[in-house]
Amino acid sequence: MIWTAFSLPTVSPWVSALLLLVDLAIRIVVLGVIPGNRRPTTAMAWLLCIFFLPYIGLILFLMFGNFRLSRRRRETQDAVNLRILEGTADIAAQVPEYEGPAWVKSVMELNRNLGYFPVLGGNSVELIEGYQESLDAMADEVSRATDYVNAEFYIMSSDDCTDRLFRELEAAAERGVRVRVLFDHIGSLRVPGYGDMIKRLKASSIQWRRMLPLLPVKGQWRRPDLRNHRKILVVDGRVGFTGSQNVIEPSYRNKKNHKIGRKWVELMSRLEGPIVGTLNIMFATDWSSETEENLESQLATHHWESFSGGSLCQVVPSGPGFVTENNLRLFNTLLYSAKDCITISSPYFVPDDSLLYAITTAAQRGVLVELFVSEQGDQFLVHHAQRSYYEALLKAGVRIYLYPKPLVLHAKHFTVDSDVAVIGSSNMDMRSFSLNLEVTVMMIDREVVQQMHTVEDHYRAVSRELNLEEWVNRPVLARYVDNVARLTATLQ
């Protein structure tokens, strides 16, 4: 390499040849490595990234290309799966009393084979639309706890809206209740006031842990965006909560959100009955993964019963701890099974090809398909990637409703005909299918479906329907940004 005054260095032919060979070697190697066990679209996106930017692309792939949990975590999940399968064999063999469509029973069997949990009867379900109301409902139940409280949320924050829940958790721990709290490390770390929450937890008698922590000094490292996205609260095994809501004030402690009036709109479910034990096993599994403490009594399944009457419910866990993409398979099956109508609420709708085909095929075969999304998203790339699918959806006959800005419709649920309602933490995007640990509850009860239809009616009353003519005539630059964002969404 030769240097001259006021000139750039001249690279020798040998160095140039070496760099060319390394560049070529990278391209040849990744062609045979990246497609392994990945969707073709995901593999192609990574290959394009590396072919355009070989060195930077390779570094990004090494940081973000591995979507597997550690061996210890996978072994923990496998052991729990086997235990559930063996411990619930008798109850799973009892065909639940159900007089609805035959395809619903096949979905029950699918979920059993994917997530290992059986469908359980005798449950009660209450849907809670109000943001503060759900926080207060959880605080009320914690105040009545006598044995244990297990709380697991993607984001937790100690603020004015969540203060009562935190105070009830602290008080329960002080009176001898075993209070365990899990929160996702990166999900919560990004929120202002994280340090204050940690100080508050340390000053209490609450047992707490970060989920999937990134603490290189302590040897805790993994793909940074591999996250635990679940939202679960279980009190004494008698009542449970799950849905879309995190434990934080509705503007996520963001000054810009406060200034423009942006708040999150959520939907939570309050559950009683045998299904609560299923949620508790999910918590116990995650707790064991983070602490290596075996919650033996709470992993037990021998005391489970499935009662007649009430709602049939089935929990479907998903995430990198499972070989299959359980939530995606469930969603696709339900979409293909629908006869009359499908209504979906998803804040981040970035489908893979299989889900896109399922939803457009449903519309094309005459099923009324409605999709509720936010008019303005809170995440730039995800929102524009989502917009890139609107044209295909509208042309297939899907009716798209835009929930008015500045509000963010963060609720994650959908209904199929009058037979099935689904709620949980999972978005309908490739990240939730492959990278995030999620919890989904399928509820088979026409009264519950009607509760959710009422929620959907509220969305429809305030939303604006998007039409195809308006969409295809949007500015060229907006279309370009949408398409570029769509490409980045497949980099997993």
Side-chain angles (χ1 to χ4, degrees):
M1 189 176 296
I2 303 170
W3 292 80
T4 60
F6 307 108
S7 67
L8 294 174
T10 302
V11 179
S12 72
W14 290 106
V15 173
S16 298
L18 179 61
L19 291 174
L20 184 61
L21 286 174
V22 171
D23 180 277
L24 183 61
I26 290 174
R27 295 168 188 257
I28 293 174
V29 171
V30 297
L31 277 174
V33 172
I34 288 179
N37 295 319
R38 287 183 177 81
R39 294 187 186 90
T41 52
T42 298
M44 185 58 67
W46 275 117
L47 289 173
L48 283 172
C49 180
I50 293 174
F51 270 57
F52 278 110
L53 302 166
Y55 301 107
I56 295 175
L58 181 60
I59 292 172
L60 289 174
F61 176 75
L62 293 175
M63 290 180 62
F64 296 99
N66 182 11
F67 53 86
R68 301 186 69 185
L69 293 171
S70 67
R71 177 179 296 179
R72 182 183 66 80
R73 289 177 182 272
R74 296 199 306 272
E75 289 175 348
T76 297
Q77 184 67 66
D78 290 342
V80 171
N81 292 345
L82 180 61
R83 187 167 182 174
I84 293 169
L85 199 61
E86 293 175 346
T88 60
D90 291 339
I91 195 170
Q94 303 172 18
V95 180
E97 296 179 7
Y98 179 69
E99 299 178 354
W103 61 263
V104 176
K105 286 191 175 181
S106 71
V107 179
M108 298 177 193
E109 183 65 20
L110 170 72
N111 292 339
R112 167 72 169 172
N113 290 330
L114 294 176
Y116 303 96
F117 290 120
V119 64
L120 300 171
N123 303 286
S124 66
V125 179
E126 176 190 359
L127 300 181
I128 307 174
E129 280 190 81
Y131 197 102
Q132 189 62 48
E133 285 80 356
S134 65
L135 291 172
D136 289 341
M138 289 188 280
D140 289 341
E141 295 300 339
V142 172
S143 72
R144 292 189 278 268
T146 58
D147 187 8
Y148 65 85
V149 176
N150 292 332
E152 172 179 355
F153 290 88
Y154 175 59
I155 293 175
M156 292 193 74
S157 167
S158 173
D159 53 54
D160 290 343
C161 290
T162 66
D163 180 64
R164 185 184 165 220
L165 177 55
F166 270 88
R167 283 190 282 110
E168 294 295 356
L169 291 169
E170 291 162 347
E174 287 297 325
R175 65 176 182 267
V177 176
R178 294 289 300 272
V179 179
R180 305 177 183 88
V181 170
L182 291 171
F183 55 87
D184 186 81
H185 184 194
I186 302 303
S188 298
L189 178 64
R190 295 178 302 167
V191 176
Y194 174 78
D196 294 335
M197 182 185 73
I198 296 299
K199 290 178 182 177
R200 183 170 187 172
L201 290 172
K202 286 182 176 179
S204 73
S205 299
I206 296 171
Q207 300 177 58
W208 59 276
R209 291 291 189 279
R210 303 174 181 90
M211 293 188 291
L212 298 174
L214 290 178
L215 300 168
V217 175
K218 296 183 180 181
Q220 296 174 326
W221 178 257
R222 60 186 53 81
R223 175 173 173 166
D225 61 343
L226 198 67
R227 310 311 326 151
N228 192 322
H229 196 241
R230 293 168 179 160
K231 290 95 175 171
I232 298 171
L233 176 73
V234 175
V235 179
D236 293 339
R238 62 177 177 79
V239 61
F241 293 81
T242 192
S244 65
Q245 187 171 348
N246 291 299
V247 177
I248 188 172
E249 63 92 19
S251 294
Y252 277 59
R253 304 191 70 170
N254 183 292
K255 291 182 179 179
K256 179 181 177 182
N257 292 340
H258 287 145
K259 184 177 181 180
I260 65 175
R262 177 182 287 166
K263 295 182 179 181
W264 269 238
V265 177
E266 309 284 2
L267 186 67
M268 291 291 282
S269 62
R270 181 188 182 279
L271 306 168
E272 289 188 51
I275 198 64
V276 176
T278 312
L279 290 174
N280 208 40
I281 284 184
M282 289 194 66
F283 174 90
T285 304
D286 289 338
W287 182 264
S288 298
S289 295
E290 301 301 345
T291 67
E292 299 188 20
E293 176 189 357
N294 186 0
L295 301 184
E296 183 69 26
S297 63
Q298 295 181 40
L299 284 170
T301 57
H302 62 271
H303 64 284
W304 282 8
E305 294 182 88
S306 180
F307 303 104
S308 59
S311 302
L312 289 172
C313 294
Q314 191 172 25
V315 167
V316 182
S318 59
F322 293 85
V323 176
T324 53
E325 295 172 321
N326 298 351
N327 46 358
L328 174 60
R329 291 173 184 264
L330 167 61
F331 297 167
N332 280 344
T333 301
L334 289 173
L335 291 169
Y336 278 117
S337 300
K339 306 298 182 186
D340 301 314
C341 59
I342 299 165
T343 303
I344 299 168
S345 173
S346 180
Y348 312 116
F349 185 83
V350 187
D352 73 340
D353 286 346
S354 69
L355 184 64
L356 182 63
Y357 292 161
I359 191 171
T360 52
T361 298
Q364 288 164 339
R365 58 188 173 85
V367 176
L368 171 62
V369 181
E370 299 175 307
L371 173 64
F372 288 95
V373 292
S374 297
E375 181 180 17
Q376 184 179 73
D378 63 301
Q379 297 182 27
F380 180 85
L381 284 176
V382 177
H383 180 64
H384 281 279
Q386 172 177 291
R387 285 161 46 100
S388 73
Y389 292 91
Y390 289 174
E391 185 172 339
L393 294 170
L394 290 167
K395 285 183 175 179
V398 176
R399 301 184 70 173
I400 300 176
Y401 292 90
L402 304 179
Y403 201 85
K405 60 182 180 182
L407 300 176
V408 174
L409 183 60
H410 192 249
K412 313 162 197 297
H413 54 85
F414 69 101
T415 52
V416 179
D417 298 343
S418 298
D419 303 294
V420 174
V422 175
I423 191 171
S425 65
S426 178
N427 298 306
M428 284 192 170
D429 68 354
M430 288 177 271
R431 181 165 300 281
S432 283
F433 299 146
S434 302
L435 303 180
N436 292 342
L437 282 73
E438 306 282 7
V439 56
T440 302
V441 182
M442 183 176 77
M443 300 172 290
I444 306 161
D445 182 341
R446 293 199 167 200
E447 291 184 4
V448 175
V449 175
Q450 186 54 53
Q451 281 191 60
M452 198 166 283
H453 281 334
T454 300
V455 174
E456 295 161 354
D457 289 342
H458 295 164
Y459 297 166
R460 196 177 296 105
V462 299
S463 299
R464 176 177 70 85
E465 185 171 359
L466 182 67
N467 65 68
L468 180 59
E469 181 180 2
E470 170 193 351
W471 191 245
V472 296
N473 290 322
R474 73 190 191 279
V476 174
L477 180 59
R479 182 186 295 270
Y480 178 83
V481 173
D482 293 344
N483 291 338
V484 172
R486 179 170 177 162
L487 179 63
T488 65
T490 61
L491 286 173
Q492 301 173 27

